[in-house]
Amino acid sequence: MEATVAAPFSSFVTSTQNSSSSPCSLLLSRKNLGSVNLRFKSRLSVRASSTSDSVVTLLDYGAGNVRSIRNALRHLGFSIKDVQTPGDILNADRLIFPGVGAFAPAMDVLNKTGMGEALCTYIDNDRPFLGICLGLQLLFDSSEENGPVKGLGVIPGTVGRFDSSAGIRVPHIGWNALQVGKDSEILDDVGNRHVYFVHSYRAIPSNENKDWVSSTCHYGESFISSIRRGNVHAVQFHPEKSGEVGLSVLRRFLDPKSSSKQKPEEGKASKLAKRVIACLDVRTNDKGDLVVTKGDQYDVREQSNENEVRNLGKPVDLARQYYKDGADEISFLNITGFRDFPLGDLPMIHVLRYTSENVFVPLTVGGGIRDFTDATGRYYSSLEVAAEYFRSGADKISIGSDAVYAAEEFIKSGAKTGKSSLEQISRVYGNQAVVVSIDPRRVYVNDSDDVPYKVIRVTNPGPNGEEYAWYQCTVSGGREGRPIGAYELAKAVEELGAGEILLNCIDCDGQGKGFDTDLVKLISDSVGIPVIASSGAGTPEHFSEVFETTNASAALAAGIFHRKEVPIHSVKEHLLEKSIEVRM
Ligand code: 1PR
């Protein structure tokens, strides 16, 4: 396998902090220099006329998952021309810049390749442009992300980090509502509906940039969710991950003539929605087929029927179905990844590739993300494994066992090595791309001082009347208990760079009796990153219970969806009845 997708990108990485001018301020100053300006203009001339209505130029500088935007563009009937040189930017008929990764390395690439200057010229000439996420942030004067770092300087303002002291969870992950301001056209179909965000940094509306701002979003404070001036657009959210609403944003940008003037159906979005996630535990069964399975307390084999691995369907088909049914996210867990190396287990990569072709909500993949040496002695870093997953269409990767070892080490030494899979992947792709999946088992104790881990008083006493419990973390799919509690693990992995926690509970898994709200409350009250409650959902009421009694940002279920006992829309309708905001 070739090096990670980050390789061409990171090979450019040096600090941009000392560069005195942004490419656009360079452009502006050259404009005032007569002959220099003429020379410059002739070198960076922008093609005026359009040659193809179905080609879109994509600026992909190799820092993450742009497969989703590629898939969305193809789905809308467009073919893609990749930018290879600054000239490709200047010659584009319509340009999309799906910024992924971190601000400083992205600016380094733009500066060193001359693409920054070309972008400024292109935008200055009011050519059709759509920046996405980091592609919006790079247009600003500067960013505080590992900085200050100078941006392109097109829009006045500084990109800063969300302030978690305002009581919000950072990263801002999930489906949020927009307050659409001035006529934006590409947002005409959004109405009061949710779109998908995933970011820790944001730009704030001000007097200086107010002419650019076309919508804002509220998350602890009001931040800029889109800008528009003439043909130049940029959005902080991910249209390629925002389902049908997001596809319509892209369609309106790509083909403004086709925009219907019909008033869109009104939604009810007003704030960040609670997410409902469908989870697919995937493994190869005894016949060698890749199947979605589901266990009871992590045992996925049938009690009868020759002890076969339970087969509940095909991963790609089920994922497509859940997308249509309204799942806000889909998680694939390769549950034998701890023993089978995932890059040897290529079907998982294919599952992601096929799924991402027409599923336009975020996809998470987990299982086996760790350093590995194969039978031939070839060493693969966890970063390579993650890179392959991102390249294949994953938006987030989920780490289980390896995060437990990293947290144990961190707690023991008190120092970060920077070498764990968690630290490395989050450094390159951002913490919003890294989920830690915790697989704890409840251990009852008589007294809160019985063990050196965080102990809580439980709602339902244990079999011998024990009033307390701690939650012991496990590895290798629940097979091995480790000397660390879920509380200690959650705090440690947050420090090490996790952006989200997928909180399972082996005792509740597959039982259909509800989430372990004691556990979910404990963890969601202890960390500042989003927590996904998992294991035990049996009815729609279990979802409202977990959202009403804990600070979970999302709830995940598997069995009830696979067995078609409760459709996703029934869960969401129930949540709405309970006044819990969800995306419909
Ligand atoms: O340790 O990095 O290789 O990751 C392995 C991943 O596979 C972990 O995320 C771990 O949770 C998962 N896993 C390993 N073995 C099993 C198993 O079931 N034998 N599945 C397993 C865990 C738990 C949930 C499940 C919910 C909801 N599955 O994801 O989907 O409990 O189920 P429910 O709604 O039916 O109750 P690594």
Side-chain angles (χ1 to χ4, degrees):
M1 200 185 82
E2 64 184 66
T4 72
V5 281
F9 177 49
S10 54
S11 62
F12 284 107
V13 177
T14 55
S15 171
T16 54
Q17 289 177 28
N18 297 327
S19 68
S20 56
S21 309
S22 65
C24 287
S25 64
L26 262 178
L27 175 63
L28 293 174
S29 58
R30 288 186 205 199
K31 272 182 163 175
N32 301 326
L33 291 177
S35 59
V36 177
N37 180 33
L38 278 179
R39 229 177 33 241
F40 179 63
K41 276 274 180 185
S42 65
R43 185 161 52 88
L44 293 181
S45 61
V46 176
R47 189 170 73 198
S49 66
S50 169
T51 52
S52 170
D53 285 344
S54 63
V55 177
V56 54
T57 304
L58 193 73
L59 175 48
D60 168 13
Y61 51 88
N65 173 16
V66 296
R67 178 176 280 266
S68 306
I69 186 76
R70 286 180 192 279
N71 285 334
L73 296 173
R74 288 195 191 109
H75 180 84
L76 294 171
F78 283 78
S79 56
I80 297 159
K81 178 175 172 20
D82 279 295
V83 170
Q84 309 284 350
T85 66
D88 294 334
I89 293 177
L90 302 170
N91 288 327
D93 290 317
R94 50 182 84 72
L95 178 69
I96 295 192
F97 184 19
V100 275
F103 196 98
M107 272 312 296
D108 259 346
V109 173
L110 295 181
N111 285 330
K112 287 181 172 161
T113 56
M115 300 222 187
E117 231 173 87
L119 262 180
C120 292
T121 306
Y122 184 84
I123 289 170
D124 204 43
N125 282 279
D126 194 29
R127 303 290 298 142
F129 173 84
L130 176 64
I132 298 175
C133 195
L134 186 64
L136 171 139
Q137 296 180 5
L138 292 165
L139 300 178
F140 283 81
D141 287 330
S142 63
S143 171
E144 289 167 2
E145 186 176 2
N146 300 320
V149 178
K150 278 190 186 298
L152 292 170
V154 175
I155 306 175
T158 298
V159 177
R161 193 176 158 84
F162 279 112
D163 182 5
S164 52
S165 67
I168 53 167
R169 286 170 197 273
V170 183
H172 173 220
I173 297 181
W175 299 77
N176 209 331
L178 304 184
Q179 285 78 51
V180 180
K182 77 173 181 192
D183 192 17
S184 166
E185 285 167 25
I186 68 166
L187 300 183
D188 275 2
D189 292 331
V190 175
N192 291 321
R193 287 186 283 173
H194 296 97
V195 289
Y196 184 76
F197 289 87
V198 51
H199 59 131
S200 299
Y201 289 80
R202 85 289 177 255
I204 298 292
S206 69
N207 253 339
E208 286 69 45
N209 58 36
K210 66 175 188 290
D211 293 345
W212 285 91
V213 179
S214 56
S215 77
T216 57
C217 174
H218 195 81
Y219 188 60
E221 61 190 338
S222 185
F223 70 89
I224 298 174
S225 44
S226 66
I227 61 97
R228 188 255 168 109
R229 187 182 267 181
N231 290 313
V232 177
H233 304 262
V235 292
Q236 178 61 66
F237 59 90
H238 286 267
E240 76 282 15
K241 287 286 149 190
S242 297
E244 293 302 317
V245 176
L247 291 176
S248 82
V249 171
L250 290 172
R251 196 180 292 115
R252 282 180 176 271
F253 166 72
L254 294 166
D255 191 2
K257 281 174 283 177
S258 75
S259 305
S260 75
K261 290 290 169 209
Q262 262 181 355
K263 203 168 159 40
E265 206 182 299
E266 279 296 289
K268 292 197 171 107
S270 68
K271 61 180 182 198
L272 187 69
K274 296 288 186 184
R275 285 170 280 154
V276 176
I277 300 176
C279 181
L280 284 71
D281 288 355
V282 179
R283 64 161 287 171
T284 308
N285 67 11
D286 302 325
K287 295 184 195 112
D289 302 323
L290 198 70
V291 298
V292 173
T293 189
K294 185 67 213 75
D296 290 321
Q297 302 183 332
Y298 286 30
D299 180 0
V300 298
R301 290 190 177 269
E302 306 269 14
Q303 297 308 308
S304 56
N305 211 1
E306 297 184 350
N307 222 13
E308 277 181 7
V309 170
R310 232 173 253 145
N311 179 351
L312 294 170
K314 294 185 178 156
V316 178
D317 295 348
L318 275 183
R320 283 185 187 150
Q321 189 57 49
Y322 295 147
Y323 170 60
K324 283 190 200 138
D325 294 348
D328 296 317
E329 253 175 75
I330 292 166
S331 294
F332 294 103
L333 297 177
N334 177 351
I335 65 168
T336 51
F338 68 89
R339 60 165 183 250
D340 306 326
F341 180 52
L343 296 187
D345 192 6
L346 286 173
M348 263 323 260
I349 304 284
H350 293 309
V351 164
L352 274 174
R353 287 192 184 144
Y354 290 128
T355 304
S356 62
E357 271 172 21
N358 40 28
V359 170
F360 300 108
V361 293
L363 303 176
T364 301
V365 65
I369 296 176
R370 64 187 193 281
D371 295 345
F372 186 83
T373 304
D374 72 12
T376 67
R378 160 86 157 90
Y379 168 79
Y380 298 84
S381 73
S382 57
L383 203 52
E384 283 176 271
V385 181
E388 189 59 26
Y389 276 148
F390 286 126
R391 241 196 310 259
S392 304
D395 300 284
K396 300 187 256 186
I397 56 93
S398 163
I399 309 176
S401 308
D402 212 47
V404 178
Y405 301 129
E408 285 179 17
E409 193 54 41
F410 174 53
I411 292 170
K412 200 163 90 190
S413 69
K416 297 182 192 173
T417 62
K419 290 183 181 152
S420 65
S421 53
L422 170 53
E423 289 163 282
Q424 290 191 56
I425 299 167
S426 112
R427 196 164 49 238
V428 173
Y429 293 96
N431 69 343
Q432 74 286 340
V434 184
V435 182
V436 165
S437 165
I438 311 185
D439 300 302
R441 193 175 263 124
R442 200 184 307 128
V443 183
Y444 290 105
V445 287
N446 288 315
D447 198 85
S448 57
D449 297 329
D450 277 3
V451 286
Y453 311 109
K454 178 80 173 177
V455 166
I456 54 166
R457 187 186 278 273
V458 286
T459 308
N460 300 310
N464 302 310
E466 300 94 333
E467 291 187 355
Y468 297 92
W470 70 287
Y471 289 87
Q472 182 181 23
C473 292
T474 64
V475 292
S476 306
R479 285 166 182 78
E480 183 191 338
R482 299 293 304 179
I484 183 169
Y487 170 86
E488 290 77 19
L489 181 84
K491 304 279 283 180
V493 298
E494 179 179 24
E495 283 237 12
L496 291 172
E500 197 169 30
I501 285 174
L502 164 53
L503 184 59
N504 302 297
C505 177
I506 297 179
D507 309 83
C508 298
D509 176 59
Q511 304 302 295
K513 293 182 185 152
F515 298 95
D516 188 327
T517 50
D518 290 340
L519 170 66
V520 180
K521 186 166 168 29
L522 169 70
I523 303 301
S524 61
D525 285 349
S526 313
V527 294
I529 53 179
V531 172
I532 302 167
S534 167
S535 306
T539 65
E541 287 72 20
H542 292 150
F543 289 82
S544 51
E545 182 189 27
V546 80
F547 288 134
E548 281 168 350
T549 59
T550 78
N551 282 310
S553 301
L556 172 151
I560 51 165
F561 297 150
H562 303 336
R563 295 188 299 268
K564 302 186 178 25
E565 289 163 7
V566 180
I568 292 171
H569 71 83
S570 303
V571 172
K572 291 199 166 181
E573 276 159 17
H574 169 75
L575 290 171
L576 276 186
E577 274 165 28
K578 291 282 182 180
S579 304
I580 296 168
E581 185 152 334
V582 288
R583 173 185 78 107
M584 293 305 277

